[in-house]
Each structure stands twice: as C-alpha cells, then as structure tokens.
Coordinates of all heavy atoms in Angstrom, one line a residue:
M1 N -140.7 33.8 -76.7 CA -141.8 34.6 -76.9 C -141.7 35.9 -76.0 O -141.5 35.7 -74.8 CB -143.1 33.9 -76.6 CG -144.3 34.7 -76.9 SD -145.8 33.6 -76.7 CE -146.8 34.6 -75.8
L2 N -141.9 37.0 -76.5 CA -141.8 38.3 -75.7 C -143.1 38.5 -74.9 O -144.2 38.4 -75.5 CB -141.6 39.4 -76.8 CG -141.4 40.8 -76.2 CD1 -140.1 40.9 -75.4 CD2 -141.3 41.8 -77.3
E3 N -142.9 38.7 -73.6 CA -144.1 38.8 -72.8 C -144.3 40.3 -72.3 O -145.4 40.6 -71.9 CB -144.1 37.8 -71.6 CG -144.2 36.4 -72.1 CD -144.2 35.5 -70.9 OE1 -145.3 35.3 -70.4 OE2 -143.1 35.0 -70.5
A4 N -143.2 41.0 -72.2 CA -143.3 42.4 -71.7 C -142.0 43.1 -72.1 O -141.0 42.5 -72.5 CB -143.3 42.4 -70.1
V5 N -142.2 44.5 -72.2 CA -141.1 45.4 -72.4 C -141.0 46.3 -71.3 O -142.0 46.8 -70.8 CB -141.3 46.2 -73.7 CG1 -140.2 47.2 -73.9 CG2 -141.3 45.2 -74.9
Q6 N -139.8 46.6 -70.8 CA -139.5 47.5 -69.7 C -138.6 48.6 -70.2 O -137.6 48.3 -70.8 CB -138.9 46.9 -68.5 CG -139.9 46.0 -67.7 CD -139.2 45.5 -66.4 OE1 -138.0 45.2 -66.4 NE2 -140.0 45.4 -65.4
L7 N -139.0 49.8 -69.9 CA -138.1 51.0 -70.1 C -137.7 51.5 -68.7 O -138.6 51.8 -67.9 CB -138.9 52.1 -70.8 CG -139.4 51.7 -72.2 CD1 -140.3 52.9 -72.8 CD2 -138.2 51.4 -73.2
V8 N -136.4 51.4 -68.5 CA -135.9 51.6 -67.1 C -135.4 53.0 -67.0 O -134.6 53.5 -67.8 CB -134.8 50.6 -66.7 CG1 -134.3 50.8 -65.4 CG2 -135.4 49.2 -66.9
S9 N -135.8 53.8 -66.0 CA -135.3 55.1 -65.8 C -134.1 55.1 -64.9 O -133.8 54.1 -64.1 CB -136.4 56.0 -65.1 OG -136.7 55.5 -63.9
P10 N -133.3 56.2 -64.9 CA -132.1 56.3 -64.1 C -132.4 56.1 -62.6 O -131.5 55.7 -61.8 CB -131.5 57.6 -64.3 CG -132.0 58.0 -65.7 CD -133.4 57.3 -65.8
D11 N -133.6 56.5 -62.1 CA -133.9 56.4 -60.7 C -134.4 55.0 -60.3 O -134.8 54.8 -59.1 CB -134.9 57.4 -60.3 CG -136.3 57.2 -60.9 OD1 -136.5 56.2 -61.7 OD2 -137.2 58.0 -60.6
G12 N -134.3 54.0 -61.2 CA -134.6 52.6 -60.8 C -136.1 52.2 -61.1 O -136.5 51.1 -60.8
R13 N -136.9 53.1 -61.5 CA -138.3 52.7 -61.8 C -138.4 52.1 -63.3 O -137.5 52.4 -64.1 CB -139.2 54.0 -61.8 CG -139.3 54.5 -60.4 CD -140.3 55.7 -60.3 NE -139.8 56.7 -61.0 CZ -140.5 57.8 -61.4 NH1 -141.8 57.8 -61.1 NH2 -140.0 58.8 -62.1
A14 N -139.4 51.3 -63.5 CA -139.5 50.7 -64.8 C -141.0 50.9 -65.3 O -141.9 50.5 -64.6 CB -139.2 49.2 -64.7
L15 N -141.1 51.3 -66.5 CA -142.3 51.4 -67.2 C -142.5 50.0 -67.9 O -141.6 49.7 -68.8 CB -142.4 52.5 -68.3 CG -143.7 52.8 -68.9 CD1 -144.7 53.3 -67.9 CD2 -143.5 53.7 -70.1
T16 N -143.5 49.3 -67.6 CA -143.6 47.9 -68.1 C -144.9 47.9 -69.0 O -145.9 48.3 -68.6 CB -143.8 46.9 -66.9 OG1 -142.6 47.0 -66.1 CG2 -143.9 45.5 -67.5
I17 N -144.7 47.3 -70.1 CA -145.8 47.2 -71.1 C -145.9 45.7 -71.5 O -145.0 45.0 -71.8 CB -145.4 48.0 -72.4 CG1 -145.2 49.5 -72.0 CG2 -146.6 47.9 -73.4 CD1 -144.5 50.3 -73.1
T18 N -147.2 45.3 -71.4 CA -147.5 43.9 -71.8 C -148.8 43.8 -72.4 O -149.6 44.8 -72.4 CB -147.4 43.0 -70.6 OG1 -147.4 41.6 -71.0 CG2 -148.5 43.2 -69.6
V19 N -149.1 42.6 -73.1 CA -150.5 42.5 -73.7 C -151.3 41.7 -72.7 O -150.9 40.8 -72.0 CB -150.3 41.6 -75.0 CG1 -151.8 41.3 -75.5 CG2 -149.5 42.3 -76.0
W20 N -152.5 42.3 -72.5 CA -153.5 41.7 -71.5 C -154.4 40.7 -72.2 O -154.3 40.5 -73.4 CB -154.3 42.8 -70.9 CG -154.6 42.5 -69.4 CD1 -155.8 42.4 -68.9 CD2 -153.7 42.3 -68.3 NE1 -155.7 42.2 -67.5 CE2 -154.4 42.1 -67.2 CE3 -152.3 42.2 -68.3 CZ2 -153.9 41.8 -66.0 CZ3 -151.7 41.9 -67.0 CH2 -152.5 41.7 -65.9
T21 N -155.2 40.0 -71.5 CA -156.1 38.9 -72.0 C -157.0 39.4 -73.1 O -157.5 38.7 -73.9 CB -156.9 38.3 -70.9 OG1 -157.6 39.3 -70.2 CG2 -156.0 37.6 -69.9
D22 N -157.4 40.7 -73.2 CA -158.3 41.2 -74.2 C -157.5 41.8 -75.4 O -158.0 42.5 -76.2 CB -159.2 42.3 -73.6 CG -158.4 43.6 -73.2 OD1 -157.2 43.6 -73.2 OD2 -159.1 44.5 -72.7
W23 N -156.2 41.4 -75.5 CA -155.3 41.8 -76.5 C -154.9 43.3 -76.6 O -154.4 43.8 -77.5 CB -155.8 41.4 -77.9 CG -155.9 39.9 -78.1 CD1 -155.7 38.9 -77.2 CD2 -156.1 39.2 -79.3 NE1 -155.9 37.7 -77.8 CE2 -156.1 37.9 -79.1 CE3 -156.4 39.7 -80.6 CZ2 -156.3 36.9 -80.1 CZ3 -156.6 38.7 -81.6 CH2 -156.6 37.3 -81.3
T24 N -155.3 44.0 -75.5 CA -154.9 45.4 -75.4 C -153.5 45.5 -74.6 O -153.2 44.5 -74.0 CB -155.9 46.3 -74.8 OG1 -156.2 45.8 -73.5 CG2 -157.2 46.3 -75.6
L25 N -152.9 46.7 -74.7 CA -151.7 46.8 -74.0 C -152.0 47.3 -72.5 O -152.9 48.2 -72.4 CB -150.8 47.8 -74.7 CG -150.2 47.4 -76.0 CD1 -149.2 48.5 -76.5 CD2 -149.3 46.1 -75.8
V26 N -151.2 46.9 -71.6 CA -151.3 47.4 -70.3 C -150.0 48.1 -70.0 O -148.9 47.5 -70.2 CB -151.5 46.3 -69.2 CG1 -151.4 46.8 -67.8 CG2 -152.9 45.7 -69.4
V27 N -150.0 49.3 -69.6 CA -148.8 50.1 -69.3 C -148.8 50.5 -67.8 O -149.8 51.1 -67.4 CB -148.8 51.4 -70.1 CG1 -147.5 52.2 -69.9 CG2 -148.9 51.0 -71.7
Q28 N -147.8 50.0 -67.1 CA -147.7 50.2 -65.7 C -146.3 50.8 -65.3 O -145.3 50.3 -65.8 CB -147.9 49.0 -64.9 CG -149.3 48.4 -65.1 CD -149.4 47.0 -64.4 OE1 -148.7 46.1 -64.7 NE2 -150.5 46.9 -63.6
L29 N -146.3 51.7 -64.3 CA -145.0 52.2 -63.8 C -144.8 51.5 -62.5 O -145.6 51.5 -61.6 CB -145.1 53.7 -63.6 CG -143.8 54.4 -63.1 CD1 -142.7 54.2 -64.1 CD2 -144.1 55.8 -62.8
W30 N -143.7 50.8 -62.4 CA -143.2 50.0 -61.3 C -142.1 50.8 -60.5 O -141.3 51.4 -61.2 CB -142.8 48.6 -61.6 CG -143.8 47.8 -62.2 CD1 -144.3 47.8 -63.5 CD2 -144.6 46.8 -61.6 NE1 -145.3 46.9 -63.7 CE2 -145.5 46.2 -62.6 CE3 -144.5 46.2 -60.3 CZ2 -146.4 45.2 -62.2 CZ3 -145.4 45.2 -60.0 CH2 -146.3 44.7 -61.0
S31 N -142.1 50.6 -59.2 CA -141.1 51.3 -58.4 C -139.7 50.6 -58.5 O -138.8 51.1 -58.0 CB -141.6 51.4 -57.0 OG -141.8 50.1 -56.4
D32 N -139.7 49.4 -59.0 CA -138.4 48.7 -59.1 C -138.3 47.9 -60.4 O -139.3 47.7 -61.1 CB -138.2 47.7 -57.9 CG -139.3 46.6 -57.9 OD1 -140.3 46.7 -58.6 OD2 -139.1 45.6 -57.2
V33 N -137.1 47.6 -60.8 CA -136.8 46.9 -62.0 C -136.9 45.4 -61.7 O -136.2 44.9 -60.8 CB -135.5 47.3 -62.6 CG1 -135.2 46.4 -63.9 CG2 -135.4 48.8 -62.9
G34 N -137.7 44.7 -62.4 CA -137.8 43.2 -62.1 C -138.9 42.6 -63.0 O -139.6 43.4 -63.7
I35 N -139.1 41.4 -62.9 CA -140.1 40.7 -63.6 C -141.4 40.9 -62.8 O -141.5 40.6 -61.6 CB -139.8 39.2 -63.8 CG1 -138.5 39.1 -64.6 CG2 -140.9 38.5 -64.4 CD1 -137.9 37.8 -64.8
P36 N -142.5 41.4 -63.5 CA -143.7 41.7 -62.8 C -144.3 40.3 -62.3 O -144.1 39.3 -62.8 CB -144.6 42.2 -63.9 CG -143.7 42.8 -64.9 CD -142.5 42.0 -64.9
D37 N -145.0 40.4 -61.1 CA -145.6 39.2 -60.5 C -146.6 38.5 -61.3 O -146.9 37.4 -61.1 CB -146.1 39.6 -59.1 CG -147.1 40.7 -59.1 OD1 -147.5 41.2 -60.1 OD2 -147.5 41.0 -57.9
Y38 N -147.2 39.2 -62.3 CA -148.3 38.5 -63.0 C -147.6 37.6 -64.1 O -148.3 36.9 -64.8 CB -149.3 39.5 -63.7 CG -148.7 40.6 -64.4 CD1 -148.2 40.4 -65.8 CD2 -148.6 41.9 -63.9 CE1 -147.6 41.4 -66.5 CE2 -148.0 42.9 -64.6 CZ -147.5 42.7 -65.9 OH -147.0 43.7 -66.7
L39 N -146.3 37.7 -64.4 CA -145.7 36.8 -65.3 C -145.2 35.6 -64.5 O -144.2 35.7 -63.8 CB -144.5 37.5 -66.0 CG -144.9 38.7 -66.9 CD1 -143.7 39.3 -67.4 CD2 -145.8 38.2 -68.0
W40 N -146.0 34.6 -64.5 CA -145.8 33.4 -63.6 C -145.4 32.2 -64.3 O -145.9 32.0 -65.4 CB -147.0 33.2 -62.8 CG -146.9 32.2 -61.7 CD1 -147.3 30.9 -61.7 CD2 -146.3 32.5 -60.4 NE1 -147.0 30.4 -60.5 CE2 -146.4 31.3 -59.7 CE3 -145.7 33.6 -59.8 CZ2 -145.9 31.2 -58.4 CZ3 -145.2 33.5 -58.6 CH2 -145.3 32.3 -57.9
P41 N -144.5 31.4 -63.8 CA -143.7 31.6 -62.6 C -142.5 32.4 -62.9 O -141.9 32.3 -64.0 CB -143.4 30.2 -62.2 CG -143.4 29.4 -63.4 CD -144.4 30.0 -64.3
P42 N -142.1 33.3 -62.0 CA -141.0 34.2 -62.3 C -139.6 33.5 -62.6 O -138.8 34.1 -63.3 CB -140.9 35.1 -61.1 CG -141.7 34.4 -60.0 CD -142.7 33.5 -60.7
E43 N -139.4 32.4 -62.0 CA -138.1 31.7 -62.1 C -138.0 31.2 -63.6 O -136.9 30.8 -64.0 CB -137.9 30.6 -61.2 CG -138.9 29.4 -61.2 CD -140.2 29.7 -60.4 OE1 -140.3 30.8 -59.8 OE2 -141.1 28.8 -60.4
E44 N -139.1 31.1 -64.4 CA -139.0 30.7 -65.7 C -138.9 31.9 -66.7 O -139.0 31.7 -67.9 CB -140.2 29.8 -66.1 CG -140.2 28.5 -65.3 CD -141.4 27.6 -65.7 OE1 -142.0 27.9 -66.7 OE2 -141.6 26.6 -65.0
R45 N -138.8 33.1 -66.2 CA -138.7 34.3 -67.0 C -137.3 34.8 -67.0 O -136.6 34.6 -66.0 CB -139.7 35.3 -66.5 CG -141.2 34.9 -66.4 CD -141.7 34.5 -67.8 NE -143.1 34.1 -67.8 CZ -143.6 32.9 -67.8 NH1 -142.8 31.9 -67.8 NH2 -144.8 32.7 -67.8
S46 N -137.0 35.6 -68.0 CA -135.7 36.3 -68.0 C -135.8 37.6 -68.6 O -136.7 37.9 -69.3 CB -134.7 35.4 -68.7 OG -135.0 35.3 -70.1
R47 N -134.8 38.5 -68.3 CA -134.8 39.8 -68.8 C -133.6 39.9 -69.8 O -132.5 39.5 -69.4 CB -134.7 40.8 -67.7 CG -135.9 40.8 -66.8 CD -135.7 41.8 -65.6 NE -135.8 43.2 -66.1 CZ -134.9 44.0 -65.9 NH1 -133.7 43.7 -65.4 NH2 -135.0 45.2 -66.4
T48 N -133.8 40.4 -71.0 CA -132.8 40.6 -72.0 C -132.9 42.0 -72.6 O -134.0 42.4 -73.0 CB -133.0 39.5 -73.1 OG1 -133.1 38.2 -72.6 CG2 -132.0 39.6 -74.2
P49 N -131.8 42.7 -72.6 CA -131.8 44.0 -73.1 C -132.1 44.0 -74.6 O -131.7 43.1 -75.3 CB -130.4 44.6 -72.9 CG -129.8 43.7 -71.9 CD -130.5 42.3 -72.0
I50 N -132.8 45.1 -75.1 CA -133.0 45.2 -76.5 C -131.7 45.6 -77.2 O -131.0 46.5 -76.7 CB -134.1 46.2 -76.8 CG1 -135.4 45.8 -76.2 CG2 -134.2 46.5 -78.3 CD1 -136.5 46.8 -76.3
L51 N -131.3 44.9 -78.2 CA -130.0 45.1 -78.9 C -129.9 46.6 -79.3 O -130.8 47.1 -79.9 CB -130.0 44.2 -80.1 CG -128.6 44.2 -80.9 CD1 -127.6 43.7 -80.0 CD2 -128.8 43.4 -82.1
G52 N -128.8 47.2 -78.9 CA -128.5 48.5 -79.2 C -129.0 49.5 -78.1 O -128.7 50.7 -78.2
F53 N -129.8 49.0 -77.1 CA -130.2 49.9 -76.0 C -129.8 49.4 -74.7 O -130.1 50.0 -73.7 CB -131.8 49.9 -76.0 CG -132.4 50.6 -77.2 CD1 -132.8 49.9 -78.4 CD2 -132.6 52.0 -77.1 CE1 -133.3 50.6 -79.4 CE2 -133.2 52.6 -78.2 CZ -133.5 51.9 -79.3
D54 N -128.9 48.4 -74.7 CA -128.5 47.8 -73.3 C -127.7 48.8 -72.5 O -127.8 48.7 -71.3 CB -127.8 46.5 -73.6 CG -126.7 46.5 -74.6 OD1 -126.7 47.5 -75.3 OD2 -125.9 45.6 -74.6
D55 N -126.9 49.6 -73.1 CA -126.1 50.5 -72.3 C -126.4 52.0 -72.7 O -125.6 52.9 -72.5 CB -124.6 50.3 -72.6 CG -124.1 49.0 -71.9 OD1 -124.6 48.7 -70.9 OD2 -123.2 48.4 -72.5
S56 N -127.6 52.2 -73.2 CA -128.0 53.4 -73.7 C -128.6 54.4 -72.6 O -129.1 54.0 -71.6 CB -129.1 53.2 -74.7 OG -129.6 54.4 -75.3
N57 N -128.3 55.6 -72.8 CA -128.9 56.7 -71.9 C -129.8 57.6 -72.7 O -129.7 58.8 -72.6 CB -127.7 57.5 -71.3 CG -127.1 56.7 -70.2 OD1 -127.7 56.0 -69.4 ND2 -125.8 56.7 -70.1
N58 N -130.6 57.1 -73.6 CA -131.5 57.8 -74.4 C -132.5 58.6 -73.5 O -133.0 58.1 -72.5 CB -132.3 57.0 -75.4 CG -131.4 56.6 -76.6 OD1 -131.1 57.4 -77.4 ND2 -131.0 55.3 -76.7
V59 N -132.9 59.7 -74.0 CA -134.0 60.5 -73.4 C -135.3 60.3 -74.2 O -135.2 60.4 -75.4 CB -133.6 62.0 -73.3 CG1 -134.8 62.8 -72.9 CG2 -132.4 62.3 -72.5
I60 N -136.3 60.1 -73.5 CA -137.6 59.9 -74.2 C -138.2 61.3 -74.4 O -138.4 62.0 -73.4 CB -138.6 59.0 -73.4 CG1 -138.0 57.6 -73.3 CG2 -140.0 59.0 -74.1 CD1 -138.9 56.7 -72.4
H61 N -138.4 61.7 -75.6 CA -138.9 63.0 -75.9 C -140.4 63.0 -76.2 O -141.1 64.1 -76.0 CB -138.2 63.6 -77.2 CG -136.8 63.7 -77.0 ND1 -136.2 64.8 -76.3 CD2 -135.7 63.0 -77.4 CE1 -134.9 64.7 -76.2 NE2 -134.5 63.7 -76.9
A62 N -141.0 61.9 -76.6 CA -142.4 61.9 -76.8 C -142.9 60.5 -76.6 O -142.2 59.5 -76.9 CB -142.8 62.4 -78.2
V63 N -144.1 60.3 -76.1 CA -144.8 59.0 -76.0 C -146.2 59.2 -76.6 O -147.0 60.1 -76.2 CB -145.0 58.7 -74.5 CG1 -145.8 57.3 -74.4 CG2 -143.6 58.6 -73.8
V64 N -146.4 58.4 -77.7 CA -147.7 58.5 -78.4 C -148.5 57.2 -78.3 O -148.2 56.2 -79.0 CB -147.4 58.9 -79.9 CG1 -148.7 59.0 -80.6 CG2 -146.6 60.1 -80.0
P65 N -149.5 57.2 -77.5 CA -150.4 56.0 -77.4 C -151.4 56.0 -78.6 O -151.8 57.0 -79.0 CB -151.1 56.1 -76.1 CG -151.1 57.6 -75.8 CD -149.9 58.2 -76.5
R66 N -151.7 54.8 -79.1 CA -152.6 54.7 -80.2 C -153.7 53.7 -79.7 O -153.4 52.7 -79.2 CB -152.0 54.2 -81.4 CG -150.8 55.0 -81.8 CD -150.4 55.0 -83.3 NE -149.3 55.7 -83.6 CZ -149.2 57.0 -83.9 NH1 -150.3 57.7 -83.8 NH2 -148.1 57.6 -84.1
L67 N -155.0 54.2 -79.9 CA -156.1 53.5 -79.3 C -156.7 52.6 -80.4 O -156.7 52.9 -81.6 CB -157.1 54.5 -78.7 CG -156.6 55.4 -77.7 CD1 -157.6 56.3 -77.2 CD2 -155.9 54.7 -76.5
D68 N -157.4 51.5 -80.0 CA -158.2 50.7 -80.9 C -159.6 51.3 -81.0 O -159.9 52.4 -80.5 CB -158.2 49.3 -80.4 CG -158.9 49.0 -79.1 OD1 -159.6 50.0 -78.6 OD2 -158.8 47.9 -78.6
N69 N -160.5 50.6 -81.7 CA -161.8 51.1 -81.9 C -162.7 51.2 -80.7 O -163.7 51.8 -80.6 CB -162.5 50.2 -82.9 CG -161.9 50.3 -84.3 OD1 -161.3 51.3 -84.6 ND2 -162.1 49.3 -85.1
F70 N -162.2 50.5 -79.5 CA -162.9 50.6 -78.3 C -162.3 51.5 -77.3 O -162.7 51.6 -76.1 CB -162.9 49.1 -77.7 CG -163.5 48.2 -78.6 CD1 -162.7 47.3 -79.4 CD2 -164.9 48.1 -78.8 CE1 -163.3 46.4 -80.3 CE2 -165.5 47.2 -79.7 CZ -164.6 46.3 -80.4
G71 N -161.3 52.3 -77.8 CA -160.7 53.3 -76.8 C -159.6 52.7 -75.9 O -159.2 53.4 -75.0
K72 N -159.2 51.5 -76.2 CA -158.1 50.9 -75.4 C -156.8 51.0 -76.1 O -156.7 51.1 -77.3 CB -158.4 49.4 -75.2 CG -159.8 49.2 -74.4 CD -159.7 48.2 -73.5 CE -161.1 48.1 -72.8 NZ -161.0 47.3 -71.6
I73 N -155.7 51.0 -75.4 CA -154.3 51.2 -75.9 C -154.0 49.9 -76.8 O -154.0 48.8 -76.2 CB -153.3 51.4 -74.8 CG1 -153.6 52.7 -74.0 CG2 -151.9 51.5 -75.4 CD1 -152.7 52.9 -72.9
A74 N -153.7 50.1 -78.1 CA -153.3 49.0 -78.9 C -151.8 49.1 -79.3 O -151.2 48.1 -79.6 CB -154.1 49.1 -80.2
S75 N -151.2 50.3 -79.2 CA -149.8 50.5 -79.4 C -149.3 51.7 -78.8 O -150.1 52.6 -78.5 CB -149.5 50.5 -80.9 OG -149.9 51.7 -81.5
V76 N -148.0 51.8 -78.5 CA -147.4 53.0 -78.0 C -146.1 53.2 -78.7 O -145.3 52.3 -78.9 CB -147.0 52.8 -76.5 CG1 -146.4 54.1 -75.9 CG2 -148.3 52.4 -75.7
D77 N -145.9 54.5 -79.2 CA -144.7 54.9 -79.9 C -143.9 55.8 -78.9 O -144.4 56.7 -78.3 CB -145.0 55.7 -81.1 CG -145.7 54.9 -82.2 OD1 -145.7 53.6 -82.1 OD2 -146.3 55.5 -83.1
F78 N -142.6 55.4 -78.8 CA -141.6 56.2 -78.0 C -140.7 56.9 -78.9 O -140.0 56.2 -79.7 CB -140.9 55.3 -77.0 CG -141.8 54.7 -76.0 CD1 -142.4 53.5 -76.1 CD2 -142.0 55.4 -74.7 CE1 -143.2 53.0 -75.2 CE2 -142.9 54.8 -73.8 CZ -143.5 53.6 -74.0
E79 N -140.5 58.2 -78.8 CA -139.5 58.9 -79.6 C -138.3 59.2 -78.7 O -138.5 59.9 -77.7 CB -140.1 60.2 -80.2 CG -141.2 59.9 -81.3 CD -141.7 61.1 -81.9 OE1 -141.1 62.2 -81.8 OE2 -142.8 61.1 -82.4
L80 N -137.2 58.6 -79.0 CA -136.0 58.8 -78.2 C -135.1 59.8 -79.0 O -135.4 60.4 -80.0 CB -135.3 57.4 -78.0 CG -136.1 56.3 -77.4 CD1 -135.4 55.0 -77.4 CD2 -136.6 56.7 -76.1
D81 N -133.8 59.9 -78.4 CA -132.9 60.9 -79.0 C -132.7 60.6 -80.5 O -132.7 61.5 -81.3 CB -131.5 60.7 -78.3 CG -131.5 61.3 -76.9 OD1 -132.3 62.2 -76.7 OD2 -130.8 60.8 -76.1
S82 N -132.4 59.4 -80.9 CA -132.1 59.1 -82.3 C -132.9 58.0 -82.9 O -132.7 57.7 -84.1 CB -130.6 58.7 -82.3 OG -130.4 57.5 -81.6
R83 N -133.9 57.5 -82.2 CA -134.6 56.3 -82.7 C -136.1 56.4 -82.2 O -136.4 57.2 -81.2 CB -134.0 55.0 -82.2 CG -132.6 54.9 -82.6 CD -132.1 53.7 -81.9 NE -131.8 52.7 -82.9 CZ -131.1 51.6 -82.7 NH1 -130.6 51.3 -81.5 NH2 -130.8 50.7 -83.7
K84 N -136.9 55.6 -82.8 CA -138.3 55.4 -82.3 C -138.4 53.9 -82.0 O -137.9 53.0 -82.6 CB -139.3 55.7 -83.4 CG -139.5 57.1 -83.7 CD -140.6 57.3 -84.7 CE -140.8 58.8 -84.9 NZ -141.9 59.0 -85.9
I85 N -139.2 53.7 -80.9 CA -139.5 52.3 -80.5 C -141.1 52.2 -80.6 O -141.8 53.0 -80.0 CB -139.1 51.9 -79.1 CG1 -137.6 52.0 -79.0 CG2 -139.6 50.5 -78.7 CD1 -137.0 51.7 -77.6
M86 N -141.6 51.2 -81.3 CA -143.0 51.0 -81.4 C -143.3 49.7 -80.8 O -142.8 48.7 -81.2 CB -143.5 51.0 -82.9 CG -143.2 52.4 -83.6 SD -142.5 52.3 -85.2 CE -141.0 51.4 -85.0
I87 N -144.3 49.7 -79.8 CA -144.6 48.5 -79.1 C -146.1 48.4 -79.3 O -146.9 49.3 -79.1 CB -144.3 48.6 -77.6 CG1 -142.8 48.9 -77.4 CG2 -144.8 47.4 -76.9 CD1 -142.5 49.2 -76.0
K88 N -146.5 47.2 -79.8 CA -148.0 47.0 -80.1 C -148.4 45.6 -79.9 O -147.6 44.7 -79.8 CB -148.3 47.5 -81.5 CG -147.6 46.7 -82.6 CD -147.9 47.3 -83.9 CE -147.2 46.6 -85.0 NZ -147.5 47.1 -86.3
S89 N -149.7 45.4 -79.8 CA -150.3 44.1 -79.7 C -150.7 43.7 -81.1 O -151.5 44.4 -81.8 CB -151.6 44.2 -78.7 OG -152.3 43.0 -78.8
M90 N -150.3 42.5 -81.5 CA -150.7 42.0 -82.8 C -151.3 40.6 -82.5 O -150.5 39.7 -82.2 CB -149.5 41.9 -83.7 CG -149.0 43.3 -84.2 SD -147.7 43.2 -85.4 CE -148.6 42.3 -86.7
G91 N -152.6 40.6 -82.6 CA -153.2 39.2 -82.4 C -153.0 38.7 -81.0 O -152.9 37.5 -80.9
G92 N -152.8 39.5 -80.1 CA -152.5 39.0 -78.7 C -151.1 38.8 -78.4 O -150.8 38.5 -77.2
N93 N -150.2 39.1 -79.3 CA -148.8 39.0 -79.1 C -148.1 40.4 -79.0 O -148.6 41.3 -79.7 CB -148.1 38.2 -80.2 CG -148.6 36.7 -80.2 OD1 -148.6 36.1 -79.1 ND2 -148.9 36.2 -81.4
L94 N -147.1 40.5 -78.2 CA -146.4 41.7 -78.1 C -145.4 41.8 -79.2 O -144.6 40.9 -79.5 CB -145.6 41.7 -76.7 CG -145.1 43.1 -76.3 CD1 -146.2 44.1 -76.1 CD2 -144.4 42.9 -75.0
S95 N -145.4 43.0 -79.9 CA -144.5 43.2 -81.0 C -143.7 44.5 -80.8 O -144.3 45.5 -80.3 CB -145.3 43.3 -82.3 OG -144.5 43.7 -83.4
V96 N -142.4 44.5 -81.1 CA -141.5 45.7 -80.9 C -140.9 45.9 -82.2 O -140.3 45.1 -82.9 CB -140.5 45.4 -79.8 CG1 -139.5 46.6 -79.7 CG2 -141.1 45.1 -78.5
G97 N -141.0 47.2 -82.6 CA -140.3 47.7 -83.8 C -139.4 48.8 -83.5 O -139.7 49.7 -82.7
I98 N -138.2 48.9 -84.1 CA -137.3 49.9 -83.8 C -136.9 50.6 -85.2 O -136.5 49.9 -86.1 CB -136.0 49.4 -83.2 CG1 -136.4 48.7 -81.8 CG2 -135.0 50.5 -83.0 CD1 -135.3 48.0 -81.1
D99 N -137.0 51.9 -85.2 CA -136.6 52.7 -86.4 C -135.3 53.5 -86.1 O -135.1 53.9 -85.0 CB -137.7 53.7 -86.8 CG -138.7 53.1 -87.7 OD1 -138.6 52.0 -88.2 OD2 -139.8 53.7 -87.7

C-alpha cells in the first residue's frame, strides 16, 4: 500500500505528499530525504523509486493543486519535462497516475 510520495530535489530536500486522516492530501517540504516520522514504525517502511523516474533529472514546470468542496487539497498535478504526475486521495488512499 502506497503511503507517501516524495519528489526529491538535487539539493537533498524532499517534497512529501500523503493522505491525512480527513482524506485530504498533506504536502510538506522536508530538509532531508527519508521516511517521515509520522509513518510509524519507520523500520517497517521502505522507499521505492517510481518506475521510469528513478534516475531522472526532470524539471518541474508547473504544480497544480486541486481543492475539494471544503477548500482542502484533494489532488496535485506536476508537469515535468515530458510527463505529468497526478497524485490524489481516493477514498482515503493515495493514488498516483503518470501520463
């Protein structure tokens, strides 16, 4: 089960996206790459690159958040050099789509 998605920058920071208890997305910028402390216990978690992006140096050209009816983030679209990544909450689960 996917619990979070991290977009890692060349300077070592990580933009981490996960689904919170109210089924909205939480987007946080961390100063280091690693498993966030709220994913407990950390020793039972692992990080796996998204297929096709593991050695990629894509530039993010646009970030488009989409809000739900309550004004909370329900999905985020990232436009990269040659692809789009869509991250959203579906029924409380994290979903990733790649075009």
Side-chain angles (χ1 to χ4, degrees):
M1 185 171 135
L2 184 62
E3 294 184 85
V5 172
Q6 285 185 325
L7 300 174
V8 180
S9 67
D11 67 0
R13 293 182 296 164
L15 185 69
T16 303
I17 303 167
T18 191
V19 176
W20 215 240
T21 56
D22 63 356
W23 293 11
T24 60
L25 292 181
V26 172
V27 181
Q28 297 174 307
L29 183 62
W30 294 79
S31 61
D32 63 344
V33 177
I35 297 173
D37 56 1
Y38 54 78
L39 297 176
W40 189 258
E43 63 273 2
E44 292 182 13
R45 305 297 184 259
S46 63
R47 296 176 71 241
T48 305
I50 296 173
L51 187 63
F53 290 93
D54 51 345
D55 290 326
S56 178
N57 286 318
N58 281 292
V59 173
I60 297 173
H61 297 285
V63 178
V64 181
R66 304 205 186 275
L67 306 179
D68 64 12
N69 294 337
F70 303 102
K72 302 220 177 190
I73 300 173
S75 69
V76 181
D77 296 343
F78 293 90
E79 293 181 19
L80 306 175
D81 289 332
S82 60
R83 303 172 114 167
K84 284 186 181 181
I85 299 176
M86 295 136 306
I87 302 171
K88 62 183 173 177
S89 172
M90 290 187 59
N93 295 312
L94 195 61
S95 173
V96 177
I98 300 173
D99 278 342

